[in-house]
Each structure stands twice: as C-alpha cells, then as structure tokens.
Amino acid sequence: MKTIKDILLTGILLVMVSIPIRSQPGFDDYHRRNEFLMASPGAMKTGLYGYDNPALLTYLKNPDLMFSWSGEQSDLSRRGLFFGIPSFGGIPPIGFSIINHRSGFNRLSHLQISTAFGTETFGAGASFNFAILDTEYFDRNNTISLGTLYRPNRYFSLSLSGTTTSGVEHYEGVIDLAVRPLGNDRLTVFSDYALRNNNNFRDGNWSAGAVFELLPGAHITGRYFKNNTITFGVGFSFGNMGISTQGGFSNRLSYNYNTYSIRAGSYERNLFDELFRNPKNYANIELQKSMRYQKYQHFDDANSLIEKLSLIDKLVKNPRIRGVVINASGMTINHSMLWELREQLKKFRENGKKVVIYFDNAGMNTYHFASVADLIIMHPLGALNLPGYIAGNIYMGNTLDKLGVGVKEFRLHEYKSGFESFATDKMSDEDRKQRQQLVNNLYDFVKEDIMSGRGFTDEKYEKLVNEIFYFSADKALELGLVDSLGRWDDINNIINIAEGEEKTILDNTQRDRILQRTDHSWGRKPGIAVIYAVGYFDMETGLKARALAKDIGQARENNNVDAIVLRIESPGGSLMAMDILAEELRKTRSKKPVIISHGSVAASAGYWLSLYSDKIVSAPNTITGSIGVVSGWLYDDGIKEKLGLSTDYVKRGEFADMGYSMPIPLLNMPLLDRTFTQEEEEIIETMLTNSYEKFVHEFARTRGKEYDEAEKNSRGRVWSGKDALEAGLVDTLGGLKTAMTIAMRKAGFDIEEGYNLIEYPVPQWFNLSGLVNFLVSRMPDIERLGVESDPAGQYLQFLKKHIGEPLPLLPLEYLDNSYFDLQQPFPRR
C-alpha cells in the first residue's frame, strides 16, 4: 500500500517528465557536461556526486572527493573538483562541484551545490549552478537541475533529470537506464538519452555501453555515442583512493581526447586487499562498559549487544583485519549475552582470524568467554577463580511469621515456585530438582566449551575446578589456563612476539575508518526489525505492553520491514499484558515471519508469548519454560498490633475490602489488611486452574503435541535452553544473530547479502542524567529503558498490583542477570 510520501514522490517524477527545461545558447549538452563520466550517471557508483543527477546523492554512504581533468587534445580544456557529504543527523546529503572551462584566453567556471532526499528505492534531488566568466558573475549561465532516481531492486536503475537556465528558451531532459544482469556491480549495461530544446525525438543524443569489474576494484568501460564516438576507460581502486582514465575516439577510431580522474575518501573494494592479503591490523573491541539491548542515540557510550555482534561480523569480512583484541576486565554482561559474543568470536576464528583476550581478575563466566581466544593474557598480579556454579535463595517464611506477616501461596503444581521464598523456610524437593538440573546443565555446557577451547581433558578440567579452583597468575600460566602474563599496555608487544612479526592495534577511530567500506549495491536492502520485550509483563511499567504492542504493529505495517525478531528478556508477569502482545504477534505472523530470540530469561508469560511465532531460538543457558501460573499475597497476621498500628475503613460491596492493603512505615512491603475468605480463595483457585489449562492447551496446540504430553513438560518447571530443545519447547539453539538469519531466510533473503536493521522501541535521543555524566566523562549505570533497577521492591509492588490474579511468573531470584555468578546470595542487591 502506497504511503502519502510515495504518492508525493511519484508526483514529482511525473512533473519532471512533463515540464520543459530551459537552457541558453552555449549551454553544453548533457554528454558534453559529463565527459568525465566513464558511464551514464546511474550506472557506476554515485556519478559525480550530484553534478550529473542530484538524486544520486541518496546513495552516498561516506564523504568522497574526485578531481578530474581533460587531456591536451580536447578542444576545450576542462577541470573539475567534485565532493560529496552523505546524510547525517537528519541533514540531507550535499554535493559540491567546481568546473573550470578554458578556451584560448577565456575562462568560464561553474560552481554547483546539490542535495537530495529519499530512500534506496526512490530519491529526488535538486541543484543550483552559477557561472563566473573570467572574474565576473555571469547570471545568464546560471542553471537549476532536478533529478529523480528509481531502483526497485538490485537489477534495475532508472533516473530522470533536467536542467534549466535563466533567460533564453532552451531546455534539456535526460533519461538514464542501467541493468545489472548478475545483481551486482560485476557487470552493468547502460544507456542514456538526452533531448534538447524542441527537437524531435529522433534528434536526441544517446549513448550505450557496459561496465565490467574483471578484478576487485578494477573496472573496464566501453561506451558508444550516437555521433559514432567511442570511449574506452579503465579505473583502479586502492582502498581510500582510486584513479581512472578514458579515451575518446572518432568514428574512424582516431584519437580525440582523454580524461583523467583521481578519487579520495571512502574505502572501496580493491585488488590489493583481495589478492595480496597480509593483514597486520588487530581491532580493539570495547566490552568494559555495561552492555544493554539498546542505547540512547546520543551521549551514551554503553555497549549494545547487536552493535557488538554486528561489529564482529564486519571485522570477519574485512580483509585488512588480522584479529581482534578484547579487554575483558570488569565486564558487566549477563551470561547469555556473553555466550552470544563468544559464539560470534568462534565464527571469527573459523574464518582464519585471531582472537586475543586480556583480563586482570576472572571467574567462571569471564573465563568461559575468554576460552574462545587463541591467546589469553592475564595481569601478573591477577587472580582466576573457577569454583563451579551455585544457585540458591533466601527463604523468609520464618522471618515473616515472627514479624506477624501472613503469607498465602496458591501453588497448583509442584515446580511453580514463584512464591516459595516467602511462604517457606527451605527449598522444596521439586524446586531443588529443577535448580540442580539448571546448574548441572550450565556446568557441563561451560566445561565442554572450555575443554574444547583450551584442549583440556575431562580429568584435567575436573581437577582444576574441584581440587584447586583458585589460581594466581603464575599458577594459571603453569597449568595452561592462560598463554601469557602482562599488563594491558603490553598487549601489542605480546602479540608481536606471538605472531613473529609486528602488528598494529587499531583504536576505535582507526577501526571504524577501515570498516567504512562503500557498498555500491542497488535497491532497498531487505529490512529486519528487532523488537525488545524487556522486563515484567505489565501494561504501563516493565516492558510496557501497550506501547510495545504499538511497536509490533508499526513493524508489521512498515513496508521496509520484511521480517521480525522479538527478543524476550522477561520472567513473565501479567496475563493481560501477555495477551495484548500475543494478539499483535498473531496478526503479524500472517504477513511477515516472526522469530523469537530468548535472552538469559524468557519464562512463564515470556515463554507463552513465544508460542505465537514461526520459530523459537534459545541460548543453551537461557532459563525458559515455567508453563504454569501462581498467585499469592502477604497479609497482616499480627504486625499491626506489634507496631501499634490500626486500620479502619468504610465500604459498600461484599468484596470491596478483598484487596485492601496498607503500607508499613519504613518497609517497602505492601500488606493486605486481611487474608481472603474460603469463598474468595475458591474463586481465585478456579481462575488459576482455567489459566493453567489454557496455557498448556496453547503450548500443545502451537508445538504440535497432545495435551497430556504437553502437560508432562509443564507443571511450572523451568528448563535450560538445552533441555528445552530436547523437550520440544524451542526449535533451535542460538542467539540474536541466529534468529535474524532464520528470519531473513524465511522472508526469502540471505542475511550475508546485507540488510537494514530497524529497532523497536525507537531509541530515545538522550537521557538527561546521562548527558550530565557524559560531560564529566562518567556514564551512569542505567538499565535499558523499561527495566527497573530495584528487582526486589519492584517484585513486591508488582505482586501488590496483581493481588489474586493468576500470574505466569518466575520467582524473584531468577530476575538477577548474575543468577549463576559465583556464590552470590539471592536476591542479590
């Protein structure tokens, strides 16, 4: 369906074709003005940065400059300087050009400025050109040009342009057509046609030809003109620079003229990178700051997961990069994100590149991450701690009883332990069983990776963890846990020694400059929307279901989005919030592929929502499942009397006081004034049973199971991603990039051929406190928008808000991103 913007742009295109375009005598025709071009404007790169057709500026990705001049045999000596700046910060692209004509003692200069707007499919632009004859302003040679560009796919390009001058009745319009039979710039066939004044159609001038890229960055062109002139050209790219020349020949192949060009600016594919690979560069990847799913657009130097995954992917493909170096000291990254980064680095190594990781102190998760490296470097005074994993909880049943706080837990099934820490004084047998299984899976999973990465035997690994566990730097080196000792400042020398030759570690600016490799593909790249569902399922807080539902709807209706990945990082929450989002996913699946990607926790309502997708992708160490519902509340059981408090109220309605609660001074703990009656409890129990049966029914229906089979894997049990795959809860193991690859494939595209990323919610511009801290070089440790920073307090407030409701929700302790960190009490504050 066309948008208003599409209709307006189409109107501009029709107007361009229909209006007369005026010129004056002496106004050079189209082919003469563009003699520096080796092909028609739309056939090769971005033409002359708007001088030929301003609409081509929509395809300018990086700043670029070109200087061109004609040879002495030309009847009119010409020199040109062309410069283009891409769009940035909402400012449209801009092109500048200066053309100098010299004939005898006369010199005429043209200065032009161009701009454009549009998309990869359709663009429009305008330019203004004013003339100076010798040293005087010559307004009768001023020109205005308009242009359009239409590229519906990677095979076809059509552009229209026209130019008018002030004054005399002359005009010219141009159509430029190019085709890429292979869908890339290896071969481009083109033709253009220009009609001046009121000439008949057959009097127009035309040309046709082809551009071949026989070797990376090496182009050969041939072009035939209506007047029987032929040009042959050749161009070479050297990365950030390039040269080209072409010769013109008359109909008898007698030499006529030459043009030459030198380009500098953006980095392009070139022969040296492709054929003479001896990369000496190591790129630094910054992981020391906190990592979130999304960043503010400005004044936020935190890391985002997709940013780092995409960076590693770009470094894999860049022939100038030998390896990466990472300082893993002080990382604040949850275990699921770390695994995804590790997997991406594993692919990096599989492509023949090197990974170097440094740390000062490390525990299980950091060392698991580091074990993917070719070279692990440890600070000489650092410590390595490998004691295994532990998972536990604090049980407040006795404490609350002594305080006079009553606890009512509705627990229909043995594994749904969402309220257990409030109601009892110890772990139930069922909860112990599922937690032990999670710990066992994580231990084995990490063990397998470390053994593979470091070449350890099973016996050696078990000895390191269960007999020694604590390692000084010297001991770690002796036992082969690390490869070298040194400080971060020594990294370059250590790499040089390991490589046997001098290498260079690029800083972020140098690295990003190398990665700015210009892409000359045509048409809109397929778009993939990544939507983040992070936090409790609630309507206005947590993941903010109302707003998130609108985001899903926008992605569904966005014509530039071909596939959707929903990343879930949530312990569950409100059924209503889940249902609103589920309805949006059901609508969206009928139009576009929807793939679910699980983060560190995607359970209960988080898993329920996952069912309305084409595929579910989970990390091996994800906590998921928990198919069940729970309800409970805290109520006054004597605490008022102990504190000397009393409550009173008036009411009308039998159940009006059912959820009446009172705040306890100095305690962040909402308490009901009374517990529920037996009649009220029966109502709640019926609601819980109905909700559970619906959950299991949806699980069975969407996963192709019988109800009884599905029920066996439900009952509130949590699963690791690995076990969830075996139990049929998820479809494959992987991270965000895996989900994106599957989504693109289902939409009919190959992710390796490029894509446009659209993120929802749309990142906010900046956070005011972040701006203040940024100015003093200190960034706040903020969570991603919508994730509360006080898990325990928020958990209790959430329970108060949903008293008596069936809640597909995990226990509090699962909300901590460091759930499996070494010997941390839970809840961790």
Side-chain angles (χ1 to χ4, degrees), residues 519-739:
D519 175 15
H520 294 300
S521 60
W522 289 351
R524 179 183 71 83
K525 291 186 177 65
I528 183 166
V530 176
I531 306 174
Y532 300 100
V534 181
Y536 290 101
F537 276 69
D538 206 0
M539 303 300 283
E540 308 298 343
T541 62
L543 53 68
K544 301 179 181 176
R546 293 191 200 278
L548 190 59
K550 291 180 181 178
D551 289 332
I552 296 172
Q554 288 177 8
R556 180 177 64 247
E557 301 303 326
N558 188 338
N559 292 329
N560 292 321
V561 172
D562 298 286
I564 293 171
V565 170
L566 180 66
R567 175 72 168 210
I568 299 177
E569 186 77 67
S570 174
S574 161
L575 275 173
M576 180 62 71
M578 187 283 302
D579 187 68
I580 287 178
L581 297 175
E583 179 61 21
E584 288 298 323
L585 288 189
R586 283 189 286 262
K587 293 178 184 177
T588 303
R589 276 190 68 193
S590 65
K591 299 184 67 174
K592 299 174 181 180
V594 176
I595 307 299
I596 298 296
S597 170
H598 285 168
S600 59
V601 179
S604 225
Y607 180 73
W608 195 337
L609 182 64
S610 304
L611 298 174
Y612 306 106
S613 65
D614 295 287
K615 292 286 183 182
I616 303 174
V617 180
S618 188
N621 50 353
T622 292
I623 297 173
T624 189
S626 191
I627 300 171
V629 292
V630 68
S631 186
W633 54 85
L634 307 180
Y635 62 92
D636 170 42
D637 193 24
I639 190 173
K640 285 194 303 185
E641 289 75 13
K642 292 180 180 182
L643 296 178
L645 299 174
S646 63
T647 57
D648 204 355
Y649 50 80
V650 295
K651 72 169 187 174
R652 182 174 180 178
E654 182 63 27
F655 301 105
D657 63 337
M658 181 175 171
Y660 181 74
S661 63
M662 60 176 184
I664 300 299
L666 306 181
L667 295 177
N668 186 19
M669 186 181 295
L671 299 179
L672 293 185
D673 197 52
R674 66 168 178 85
T675 189
F676 288 179
T677 65
Q678 182 175 352
E679 181 183 5
E680 291 167 340
E681 290 184 2
E682 289 174 355
I683 293 172
I684 293 173
E685 189 167 347
T686 299
M687 291 170 56
L688 288 169
T689 301
N690 292 340
S691 297
Y692 174 75
E693 291 177 352
K694 180 174 176 57
F695 197 166
V696 177
H697 172 76
E698 288 298 282
F699 171 46
R701 182 184 65 82
T702 57
R703 302 300 297 174
K705 299 175 180 292
E706 295 295 328
Y707 184 91
D708 290 343
E709 178 191 3
E711 211 273 336
K712 291 178 182 178
N713 290 331
S714 301
R715 309 189 68 80
R717 182 168 182 173
V718 294
W719 306 79
S720 69
K722 177 177 176 295
D723 282 351
L725 177 64
E726 295 176 1
L729 275 73
V730 304
D731 297 294
T732 189
L733 297 181
L736 188 57
K737 290 291 287 188
T738 303

Side-chain angles (χ1 to χ4, degrees), residues 459-474:
E459 181 182 4
K460 179 173 181 177
Y461 182 88
E462 291 295 336
K463 182 177 181 179
L464 291 172
V465 174
N466 294 311
E467 296 184 24
I468 307 175
F469 94 84
Y470 181 87
F471 309 89
S472 66
D474 290 334

